[in-house]
Amino acid sequence: MMPTIERIDHVVMTTKDVEATAAWYVKVLGFKREPFGPQQRVALKFGQQKFNLRPVGDKEWVTCPVDAAGMHDLCFMTGGAIADVVKHLGECGVAIAHGPFTQIGALGAMTSVYCCDPDGNLIEIASYEGQPHAG
């Protein structure tokens, strides 16, 4: 029988510098830093999800053969206006790589803006506010 996938629980992000990456996500996206496990690894929590930060080359983590930072392309949803996101990114000194412009998300049209985190992961912040969409 085929399993039914219900949601993403967590994502493990490989990073060159756990501290710099954690600080960026806390400052720019408002994530909450939380230590976990006996080794006091670093997790970043938001909503009902979390990112676990894995240092490049750490042999204590289960991983696949590719061990590199900056390989993610992640989209985060906000309930507010993209203009507020653009303003906040500017206040944090984060350059906008692309946007804002209309993209198609899981629920339909959304307005997106893109930036990069310290490891070079592409971060999309999007809002359905003001866009017609399903759901």
Side-chain angles (χ1 to χ4, degrees), residues 20 29 35-36 39 41-43 46-47 66 72 78 81 101 105 107 117 127:
L29 298 182
F36 72 99
Q39 297 90 2
R41 293 175 173 168
V42 175
F46 59 102
V66 176
H72 288 88
T78 182
F101 52 84
L107 301 179
D117 76 3
S127 175

Side-chain angles (χ1 to χ4, degrees), residues 19-115:
E19 294 305 319
T21 297
W24 190 91
Y25 279 88
V26 168
K27 177 182 178 183
V28 176
L29 298 182
F31 288 16
K32 304 292 184 222
R33 181 188 173 115
E34 181 176 286
F36 72 99
Q39 297 90 2
Q40 292 297 291
R41 293 175 173 168
V42 175
L44 300 171
K45 296 187 86 172
F46 59 102
Q48 295 180 355
Q49 292 74 231
K50 72 174 183 162
F51 284 174
N52 294 335
L53 301 182
R54 178 192 177 275
V56 171
D58 188 331
K59 303 298 183 204
E60 298 299 315
W61 288 72
V62 175
T63 191
C64 290
V66 176
D67 183 19
M71 298 177 53
H72 288 88
D73 179 343
L74 303 165
C75 179
F76 298 104
M77 299 308 299
T78 182
I82 286 298
D84 294 336
V85 172
V86 170
K87 180 180 178 194
H88 177 70
L89 291 175
E91 290 169 351
C92 290
V94 176
I96 295 174
H98 305 284
F101 52 84
T102 300
Q103 292 287 68
I104 303 300
L107 301 179
M110 61 189 189
T111 305
S112 298
V113 64
Y114 293 82
C115 62

Side-chain angles (χ1 to χ4, degrees), residues 14-18 54-59 67-69 119:
T14 300
T15 179
K16 295 177 280 191
D17 184 333
V18 169
R54 178 192 177 275
V56 171
D58 188 331
K59 303 298 183 204
D67 183 19
D119 287 304

